[in-house]
Amino acid sequence: MSSAFLAACRAEPHDRVPVWFMRQAGRALPEYRALRGEGSILDAIRQPKLAAEITLQPVRRYGVDAAILYSDIVVPVAAIGFGVDIEPGTGPVVAEPFRGRADLDRLPPFDAERDTPYVLETVAAVVADLPDDVPLIGFAGAPFTVASYLVEGQPSRTYTKTKAMMHGDPDLWAALADRLADFAIASLRSQVEAGARAVQLFDSWAGALSPSQYERYVLPASRKVFAGVADLGVPRIHFGVNTGELLGLMREAGADVVGVDWRTSLSAARSRVGDAALQGNLDPAICFAPWPVVEREVRAVLDDNDGNPGHIFNLGHGVLPDTDPTVLERIVELVHTEGRVG
Ligand code: CP3
């Protein structure tokens, strides 16, 4: 059956502007908090029935045009035993960060069927329950963003250690990025084989880099990821925050759809990515303003796109945890009724 989301990824004609939200499965939903309980999110991800139900919750509640797998970008590196956990309220933490060449041995090849069978069971369970016109998006962390956690050992604002390695030992950095590219390829391929119908590569923190740093130290590995899934024929989305200056390069990496945050207008983004489709870009903080403001800002995003068929409405980054879910429900309805294609 036809999917507005898949058509928009290819900038083909369709009947309504598709919308989904990054982090749509999560703490903003009371039904998520009720199901999730205590404990590491990594434990929840290892339970296919639970993870599938959490993936489906926002589809039912919001009526979004795509589901995104409930998992995390650090799942493959955690699964091969690198010693990664996710601390609630903080994010990924690594007991023994990646420091030198010897640490490459701690990143043996990742085999999704062997190392994360539960993820593939979740994908299959979700796909079995989704309506045909609501595809599941599989995802992986891009080499730079995953490496930043492995090298820093925790979330960072400055990426000091990561940049020091990049510039100080480019060969080691390239070996690390290349290995993580292989992880992303294996992970994405397995999700698509299990039933995902689009993939998103999250390079959330690439915006910390200048275009020349990105081109030299990040683009080769991300390009490898996109080339490594090209034959699957599913749309490939590429997203990062604060990447206004990098959008052209992120497209060049091999993306069919480029994610845009709220700092860059869709029209400016379009001039930088050529004929790629765009995904974005309402500021997630706007959801906390009174409804008339939200409504005005949603319309502003739609107007900025000006009917271009290559647009998937989304937030410019993930849903913030305290967001009122009824606001997201209303946004979906507004985009569906007011969005214009063509
Ligand atoms: O709904 C969805 O978007 C699907 C699920 C999803 C999660 N993580 C679940 C999650 C996705 C797509 C991710 C990707 C991810 N993980 C990214 C890229 C997206 C982005 O936000 O830029 C990044 C950078 C991570 C690393 C990570 N994992 C962070 C920074 C955090 C937040 C820590 C916190 O508690 O604030 C996590 C944990 C995490 N991953 C949560 C969820 C729902 C929240 C913790 C929980 O519910 O236990």
Side-chain angles (χ1 to χ4, degrees):
M1 207 210 264
S2 77
S3 146
F5 166 78
L6 293 175
C9 287
R10 308 197 181 290
E12 287 164 1
H14 50 283
D15 57 7
R16 67 182 193 188
V17 176
V19 47
W20 69 280
F21 304 113
M22 291 184 279
R23 287 281 169 90
Q24 64 191 16
R27 280 171 299 187
L29 285 177
E31 59 269 36
Y32 172 79
R33 295 194 299 270
L35 256 191
R36 170 81 172 74
E38 301 294 310
S40 168
I41 182 178
L42 293 176
D43 292 329
I45 290 166
R46 280 192 283 260
Q47 301 170 54
K49 277 210 181 76
L50 178 64
E53 176 57 23
I54 291 174
T55 303
L56 293 164
Q57 282 178 343
V59 177
R60 295 192 197 109
R61 156 93 70 152
Y62 300 131
V64 283
D65 296 279
I68 181 145
L69 183 68
Y70 182 72
S71 183
D72 197 87
I73 58 168
V74 298
V75 163
V77 283
I80 53 100
F82 197 85
V84 183
D85 205 351
I86 299 181
E87 270 177 22
T90 303
V93 289
V94 177
E96 286 176 58
F98 187 100
R99 288 281 176 265
R101 193 154 291 277
D103 292 316
L104 286 172
D105 296 339
R106 296 166 59 206
L107 292 169
F110 167 70
D111 177 330
E113 280 78 16
R114 180 194 63 205
D115 300 322
T116 53
Y118 43 87
V119 170
L120 306 180
E121 272 181 57
T122 304
V123 171
V126 168
V127 169
D129 263 17
L130 276 175
D132 247 12
D133 58 348
V134 181
L136 174 68
I137 303 168
F139 71 89
F144 170 76
T145 291
V146 176
S148 78
Y149 286 115
L150 300 189
V151 174
E152 304 290 334
Q154 60 191 34
S156 170
R157 274 204 308 275
T158 53
Y159 305 95
T160 318
K161 297 184 177 80
T162 314
K163 289 184 179 182
M165 183 179 296
M166 227 178 233
H167 290 95
D169 193 345
D171 290 343
L172 176 61
W173 168 259
L176 172 58
D178 189 69
R179 205 154 292 197
L180 294 175
D182 290 336
F183 275 50
I185 293 168
S187 175
L188 294 175
R189 293 192 73 86
S190 69
Q191 293 173 57
V192 172
E193 280 156 16
R197 287 157 75 196
V199 293
Q200 177 153 329
L201 189 68
F202 280 101
D203 211 352
S204 300
W205 315 133
L209 302 166
S210 70
S212 67
Q213 290 172 332
Y214 181 90
E215 196 166 8
R216 193 175 211 174
Y217 298 118
V218 174
L219 184 60
S222 291
R223 182 177 270 145
K224 181 179 180 181
V225 176
F226 284 113
V229 296
D231 63 303
L232 299 174
V234 300
R236 297 162 296 172
I237 311 170
H238 200 183
F239 170 78
V241 188
N242 229 330
T243 50
E245 295 295 319
L246 305 178
L247 293 173
L249 293 167
M250 291 176 73
R251 157 69 163 164
E252 252 183 64
D256 306 299
V257 182
V258 177
V260 184
D261 81 7
W262 61 94
R263 295 172 183 88
T264 309
S265 69
L266 293 180
S267 42
R270 208 171 283 288
S271 71
R272 294 171 199 180
V273 305
D275 57 0
L278 297 178
Q279 178 171 277
N281 69 342
L282 184 74
D283 183 342
I286 293 289
C287 298
F288 294 81
W291 175 252
V293 176
V294 181
E295 186 173 357
R296 184 189 71 209
E297 296 298 317
V298 169
R299 286 180 198 274
V301 170
L302 294 170
D303 288 348
D304 188 17
N305 180 63
D306 196 21
N308 192 306
H311 178 223
I312 298 136
F313 192 99
N314 205 313
L315 303 178
H317 197 189
V319 173
L320 294 163
D322 296 330
T323 306
D324 174 355
T326 62
V327 172
L328 297 177
E329 270 173 63
R330 294 179 78 179
I331 291 175
V332 171
E333 202 187 315
L334 183 63
V335 170
H336 282 163
T337 52
E338 299 289 312
R340 179 172 56 79
V341 185

